Amino acid sequence: HLCEDENCTSLSGANLVTNLVLSEDGHRLNIFHNNFTADKYYKVELSQGLKNISAYNLSSPFSWSFQVNNGQACTPNSLRIEPAYHLADTNASIDYLAVPYSAANACDPQGQVLNPMVYTYQWTLDPVQVADLQISDIYQTSVNPRNNGTAHINASIPQYSVTDQATLDVYFG
């Protein structure tokens, strides 16, 4: 929600969330949203109705507020592919997600997650004999294992020279 003041004591506007994606390991919730306005304060509220991958609710509501920067675009400093490693023993499709991060800053020494939908990605797979790569979205791809072996799934944002590589081991038995 948009805050009326820096303390977020009063909120205005509708919910800005467009999509929620739980990471494969169930430890992180990626929240996608409509664009924010520069120099404004916002508040995120998670209700007790939110469930983890084991179907447990939050023990209590959780919220935080933040201020959007002065309008300068956030520049990706690094990129991570999730999952970083996967062992496949069937030919079931595996979804991979590219997550861009800012440089380390006062808010997060690891860098902050950036909106993945605003960048152009390049996906490759090597070697191509192990699996098929199917780009399913701007920041997401699917890989279909087809032969035993090890493949590397590569993602990059060429404009910012950031890359990452995930490993897929295929063993059909």
Side-chain angles (χ1 to χ4, degrees):
H1 296 283
L2 176 63
C3 299
E4 293 291 329
D5 59 31
E6 65 184 49
N7 297 318
C8 291
T9 53
S10 179
L11 305 176
S12 65
N15 185 344
L16 299 174
V17 173
T18 59
N19 194 17
L20 298 173
V21 178
L22 187 63
S23 64
E24 186 174 288
D25 63 8
H27 292 111
R28 187 177 57 257
L29 180 65
N30 294 315
I31 303 171
F32 302 98
H33 51 80
N34 291 326
N35 290 334
F36 295 127
T37 303
D39 295 324
K40 297 289 184 181
Y41 290 87
Y42 291 87
K43 185 173 189 176
V44 177
E45 298 176 306
L46 302 178
S47 71
Q48 281 183 271
L50 186 66
K51 296 178 187 270
N52 67 11
I53 59 174
S54 299
Y56 292 107
N57 288 25
L58 283 175
S59 59
S60 62
F62 183 76
S63 67
W64 70 93
S65 57
F66 60 93
Q67 182 185 21
V68 175
N69 69 11
N70 63 3
Q72 296 175 352
C74 294
T75 301
N77 186 61
S78 65
L79 185 65
R80 293 187 200 144
I81 300 175
E82 295 178 359
Y85 175 80
H86 187 84
L87 173 61
D89 56 4
T90 70
N91 63 352
S93 179
I94 302 124
D95 291 331
Y96 288 87
L97 181 71
V99 182
Y101 285 81
S102 69
N105 56 42
C107 295
D108 191 328
Q110 303 299 314
Q112 294 173 286
V113 174
L114 302 176
N115 182 353
M117 295 186 281
V118 298
Y119 306 104
T120 302
Y121 299 85
Q122 183 174 18
W123 291 92
T124 61
L125 182 129
D126 183 46
V128 296
Q129 296 82 0
V130 175
D132 295 317
L133 180 72
Q134 297 178 335
I135 297 174
S136 54
D137 203 341
I138 295 170
Y139 60 95
Q140 185 174 349
T141 191
S142 294
V143 175
N144 297 311
R146 58 185 168 113
N147 291 307
N148 287 341
T150 299
H152 297 287
I153 297 90
N154 305 290
S156 67
I157 306 175
Q159 176 185 0
Y160 297 100
S161 301
V162 293
T163 63
D164 193 27
Q165 182 178 82
T167 301
L168 170 65
D169 282 329
V170 179
Y171 179 72
F172 291 134

